Amino acid sequence: MRILLISFILSSAGIVFGQDLPTLVPVDPFDPNGDAARLFDAIDGWGTDEDKIVSVLCYRVASQRDAITTIYNSQHGSLADDLKSDLSGSFQTLAIMLTHSMVKFLSIELYETMARSGTDETSLTEIVMSRSNAELAEVRSFYVDFYGHSLVSDIESDTCCAYQQLIIQMAEGQRDESNVVNMTLVQEDVVALYEAGPAIEETDEVVYVNIFSLRNFVHLNEVAILYEATYETSLTTVVTTEFTGKEIANALVSILQYSRDKARYFSEKFHASIAGAGTADRDLMRLTVSRCETDLGNIKSAYQTVYGESLSNAVSKDTSGSYRTALLALIG
């Protein structure tokens, strides 16, 4: 049995998972009382100093912003309400997002993907797929306390069939998070996927759901590479052919893309949020806030490579005012 322990992975598709490069790191020294007072000064009285708001909320990580918000709320009332009263448009939405802890932010974003008219399966998949088991456990706990019902129950109400089972299993945080690649298991999964799909008349969806929701991402990338080498067909082509429901097919493709190169996956998500007529502002905000403390530095490099311009420049062309200033501060 051949087992590989991989801490920095290189494959024919390029770098898969290496060192994460955030664009926002904790400020040190940190003075939450001074920051709360600075925000109050920016909001209180006639006029609002939006630059001062940016200087605090966009240069502190989520845990620090949460501490600032707690102090502000205890001394001056609700920071979120004050920002809602004094600001408008996308900058208002982003500023309020930045008052939340990361677990609250993620919980609200997940809720919003299912609360809108028609479930936003693409965003639901992105959020659940990209968070760690520990983060998902925190979200599940917060979600039920905040909304009075569980994340899983909302997923059950808003999704169906194989896609529902895939998202639930990922949301329950059952994925292997090691970088261990057991090549014997990789070979077994390749055969299992073939025998559950192209080899039979009706796809055995459970096999695909279990492999794609439970295996670690490095393992899944090796499965995709070996599958194509063995059967001369990409696994992406297989899932889009075998699954008639676009939600499950798109989700499986997203998992393959993320497994192959997560920075490129997110660079494409950023591009989709600003490409064409109009801007998908909620997506742009979510991507920026959720990745800036993790790997937005890697995503910026991937964006430059794929699209031939910097992410900052692309975002700058599609936004304006304090909203643009805030996003660019987070992007770094």
Side-chain angles (χ1 to χ4, degrees):
M1 180 182 296
R2 186 156 70 96
I3 299 177
L4 306 176
L5 179 59
I6 305 175
S7 59
F8 192 82
I9 310 297
L10 292 173
S11 77
S12 59
I15 296 175
V16 181
F17 286 88
Q19 181 181 1
D20 286 338
L21 300 174
T23 57
L24 183 66
V25 297
V27 67
D28 184 24
F30 173 49
D31 178 11
N33 286 288
D35 285 341
R38 185 171 175 81
L39 286 173
F40 181 72
D41 182 61
I43 296 169
D44 189 40
W46 292 101
T48 303
D49 189 337
E50 295 184 351
D51 288 340
K52 191 174 287 187
I53 292 172
V54 169
S55 74
V56 176
L57 294 182
C58 297
Y59 291 90
R60 308 291 185 268
V61 296
S63 59
Q64 293 178 327
R65 296 193 303 265
D66 188 43
I68 295 165
T69 300
T70 299
I71 292 171
Y72 186 103
N73 291 350
S74 69
Q75 295 177 348
H76 308 294
S78 170
L79 175 57
D81 286 348
D82 287 350
L83 292 171
K84 186 175 182 179
S85 297
D86 275 46
L87 305 178
S88 62
S90 295
F91 182 53
Q92 177 200 76
T93 304
L94 178 59
I96 293 172
M97 279 184 180
L98 294 173
T99 68
H100 303 321
S101 65
M102 187 57 69
V103 65
K104 182 176 181 179
F105 165 75
L106 292 171
S107 297
I108 291 172
E109 289 304 293
L110 283 167
Y111 178 82
E112 288 297 321
T113 66
M114 295 177 281
R116 305 168 194 167
S117 177
T119 304
D120 182 355
E121 290 92 355
T122 301
S123 298
L124 176 58
T125 301
E126 169 217 310
I127 298 169
V128 173
M129 172 184 68
S130 63
R131 310 318 297 194
S132 69
N133 292 343
E135 288 172 320
L136 290 168
E138 292 179 351
V139 166
R140 292 195 306 274
S141 177
F142 181 90
Y143 196 102
V144 72
D145 290 340
F146 193 68
Y147 290 111
H149 48 270
S150 72
L151 172 61
V152 169
S153 68
D154 274 357
I155 294 171
E156 289 174 337
S157 297
D158 269 64
T159 61
C160 68
C161 307
Y163 177 72
Q164 178 188 90
Q165 191 56 44
L166 176 73
I167 293 297
I168 287 175
Q169 286 192 187
M170 289 198 294
E172 288 177 340
Q174 301 178 40
R175 189 181 298 280
D176 168 30
E177 293 184 321
S178 73
N179 283 336
V180 175
V181 176
N182 179 336
M183 291 308 296
T184 300
L185 182 57
V186 168
Q187 293 166 353
E188 291 174 357
D189 283 350
V190 167
V191 173
L193 290 170
Y194 178 76
E195 293 182 345
I200 59 176
E201 187 171 340
E202 292 189 12
T203 306
D204 186 344
E205 297 175 341
V206 172
V207 171
Y208 281 79
V209 166
N210 285 339
I211 290 175
F212 276 69
S213 66
L214 301 178
R215 301 290 192 251
N216 73 63
F217 292 114
V218 179
H219 174 101
L220 284 174
N221 189 52
E222 293 299 324
V223 167
I225 293 168
L226 184 58
Y227 190 101
E228 184 165 3
T230 303
Y231 298 109
E232 299 183 344
T233 303
S234 74
L235 202 46
T236 297
T237 299
V238 171
V239 299
T240 53
T241 302
E242 291 293 320
F243 290 86
T244 55
K246 70 173 184 177
E247 294 85 3
I248 179 64
N250 289 342
L252 295 176
V253 170
S254 291
I255 293 169
L256 288 172
Q257 292 171 333
Y258 184 87
S259 301
R260 182 167 58 250
D261 189 333
K262 69 172 181 173
R264 177 160 183 158
Y265 165 81
F266 277 114
S267 74
E268 292 173 356
K269 301 292 287 183
F270 268 100
H271 184 70
S273 74
I274 54 180
T279 304
D281 289 299
R282 186 91 192 194
D283 291 342
L284 178 57
M285 286 184 256
R286 181 188 67 254
L287 289 164
T288 303
V289 174
S290 66
R291 306 316 302 181
C292 65
E293 294 181 39
T294 307
D295 55 3
L296 189 48
N298 309 77
I299 296 165
K300 287 168 61 179
S301 296
Y303 194 98
Q304 179 74 50
T305 299
V306 174
Y307 299 107
E309 73 171 327
S310 70
L311 177 59
S312 295
N313 188 57
V315 169
S316 181
K317 290 190 297 186
D318 238 53
T319 56
S320 62
S322 295
Y323 176 49
R324 171 198 287 161
T325 304
L327 286 172
L328 294 181
L330 294 167
I331 292 170

